[in-house]
Amino acid sequence: MKFIKLMIIALLSTIIFSIVMGGMNYITMVSKSPEGFIVPMIFFGMYAAPAYVLGGIPSYFFIEKICSKMKVTSYISVYFTKLFLYGLAGIVISFIFTLLLTAIEGGFFLLPNEFVAYLFCGFIAALTFYHVALVLNQEGPFAPKDKKEKE
């Protein structure tokens, strides 16, 4: 059941991330056409979905395991710790994913600003995953009162 929930989180995160990145791409385009939003959105989704499934789900388990061993009880401390860990995981996954994609395409020729852009996209994607997981898991200070009482 947990894996199905994580797949739903990955799917929703892919959709949200693709819409945001497609919108950012559309805003920065010189010629505005309807395809200017949809095509990049699909492009971002095609690359984000495998990264979420192959990197995001294992990162979720790893980060939850790390945070469960910590003796932190404050919601704010846990939130910012996980925020940092998810951001770091997003950068690492983006770094690995970028290296794999450039190796498949036949070389490691990325300009520094392109490489930083890929890392930033990984960071944003990871934070999207984290916040979608927070909403769907209903954790933290916004959890329903009956869930807080059970803990």
Side-chain angles (χ1 to χ4, degrees):
M1 189 64 154
K2 184 79 165 177
F3 186 74
I4 293 171
K5 193 172 199 177
L6 288 172
M7 289 299 290
I8 291 169
I9 291 169
L11 176 67
L12 289 174
S13 299
T14 300
I15 292 168
I16 292 168
F17 178 73
S18 299
I19 290 170
V20 168
M21 295 305 289
M24 287 175 53
N25 191 41
Y26 182 74
I27 289 170
T28 59
M29 289 179 74
V30 175
S31 62
K32 309 273 191 222
S33 66
E35 298 88 26
F37 174 73
I38 294 170
V39 172
M41 186 182 80
I42 293 170
F43 176 76
F44 280 111
M46 286 176 21
Y47 282 96
Y52 276 125
V53 172
L54 298 175
I57 293 174
S59 295
Y60 176 87
F61 287 117
F62 183 68
I63 291 169
E64 291 301 315
K65 187 174 183 179
I66 288 172
C67 290
S68 69
K69 292 184 180 192
M70 294 172 46
K71 303 294 182 203
V72 179
T73 57
S74 167
Y75 287 123
I76 294 172
S77 300
V78 171
Y79 173 79
F80 282 109
T81 301
K82 286 184 178 182
L83 190 73
F84 172 76
L85 291 173
Y86 273 98
L88 183 64
I91 291 170
V92 170
I93 291 166
S94 179
F95 178 76
I96 293 168
F97 201 66
T98 303
L99 288 179
L100 288 173
L101 288 177
T102 55
I104 290 170
E105 291 174 0
F108 295 99
F109 301 109
L110 280 178
L111 298 172
N113 59 346
E114 289 176 331
F115 192 67
V116 170
Y118 282 120
L119 296 182
F120 181 72
C121 286
F123 180 77
I124 297 300
L127 296 185
T128 304
F129 186 90
Y130 174 49
H131 287 94
V132 169
L134 276 178
V135 169
L136 291 183
N137 289 333
Q138 295 184 347
E139 296 175 352
F142 305 111
K145 292 187 190 284
D146 59 337
K147 186 170 181 172
K148 288 181 186 176
E149 290 171 2
K150 288 180 185 177
E151 294 175 350

